[in-house]
């Protein structure tokens, strides 16, 4: 089996993106892995035997080989535009929307609309808006 080689960003790199930022909003993704569907026909690869029958998952779950790498790869491809424009800093399922001016609100709305297309949701208890 071939394992993906997606590297996590270094914490120092993520912090460096924040150094010139005056305003930022922080969001924490909920149910990240379980939003990723297992390719039809590949369910057998994650099948496990229970005392009743076989359990064939339809979505990724934590601990499944490559789940973190696949999740990182998907998030990188979805958010590529914002990551390259230095509008977003992310680490696994934590996102910080960056702004040097008060453009933070429009950037946050754009980000939320972008991830909404993929049915990703955020933990309400971990929202932090208008941080200076």
């Amino acid at each position: 089996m071939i394992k993906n080689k997606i590297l996590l960003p270094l914490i120092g790199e993520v912090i460096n993106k924040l150094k010139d930022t005056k305003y930022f909003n922080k969001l924490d993704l909920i149910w990240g892995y379980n939003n990723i569907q297992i390719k039809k026909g590949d369910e057998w690869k994650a099948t496990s035997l229970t005392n009743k029958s076989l359990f064939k998952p339809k979505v990724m779950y934590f601990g499944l080989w490559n789940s973190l790498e696949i999740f990182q790869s998907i998030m990188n491809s979805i958010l590529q535009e914002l990551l390259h424009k230095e509008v977003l800093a992310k680490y696994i399922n934590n996102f910080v929307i960056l702004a040097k001016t008060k453009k933070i609100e429009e950037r946050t709305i754009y980000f939320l609309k972008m991830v909404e297309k993929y049915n990703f949701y955020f933990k309400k208890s971990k929202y932090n808006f208008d941080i200076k």
Side-chain angles (χ1 to χ4, degrees):
M1 194 174 287
I2 299 171
K3 189 168 180 164
N4 286 346
K5 298 284 184 185
I6 302 291
L7 298 175
L8 292 175
L10 298 173
I11 296 292
E13 290 174 4
V14 176
I15 291 172
N16 278 341
K17 285 186 175 185
L18 303 175
K19 70 179 179 184
D20 295 329
T21 303
K22 284 190 174 183
Y23 306 94
F24 61 94
N25 291 335
K26 182 188 160 300
L27 299 117
D28 190 5
L29 193 66
I30 190 169
W31 302 320
Y33 300 117
N34 0 2
N35 282 347
I36 302 171
Q37 298 286 320
I38 293 177
K39 183 178 168 185
K40 190 169 176 133
D42 282 348
E43 297 93 349
W44 67 270
K45 294 176 182 176
T47 300
S48 47
L49 182 62
T50 68
N51 60 349
K52 300 274 184 186
S53 66
L54 291 176
F55 171 69
K56 296 179 184 177
K58 301 285 186 221
V59 294
M60 298 286 284
Y61 55 88
F62 188 75
L64 195 59
W65 194 19
N66 269 349
S67 60
L68 181 60
E69 290 86 355
I70 290 168
F71 179 74
Q72 277 295 116
S73 176
I74 289 170
M75 296 313 298
N76 287 346
S77 87
I78 290 171
L79 303 169
Q80 180 179 10
E81 174 189 346
L82 296 176
L83 291 168
H84 288 298
K85 288 183 179 178
E86 301 283 319
V87 171
L88 180 71
K90 75 170 187 55
Y91 190 79
I92 306 176
N93 64 340
N94 297 293
F95 301 89
V96 179
I97 300 152
L98 314 167
K100 293 177 183 173
T101 63
K102 291 213 174 202
K103 288 183 178 180
I104 193 73
E105 188 175 324
E106 65 187 59
R107 287 180 172 188
T108 303
I109 291 168
Y110 183 75
F111 169 76
L112 291 172
K113 285 182 180 179
M114 184 179 279
V115 295
E116 183 181 41
K117 294 179 212 171
Y118 299 93
N119 296 321
F120 287 111
Y121 301 98
F122 298 91
K123 293 179 185 172
K124 204 171 196 174
S125 63
K126 292 194 175 185
Y127 285 0
N128 287 311
F129 289 118
D130 297 326
I131 302 169
K132 293 181 183 184

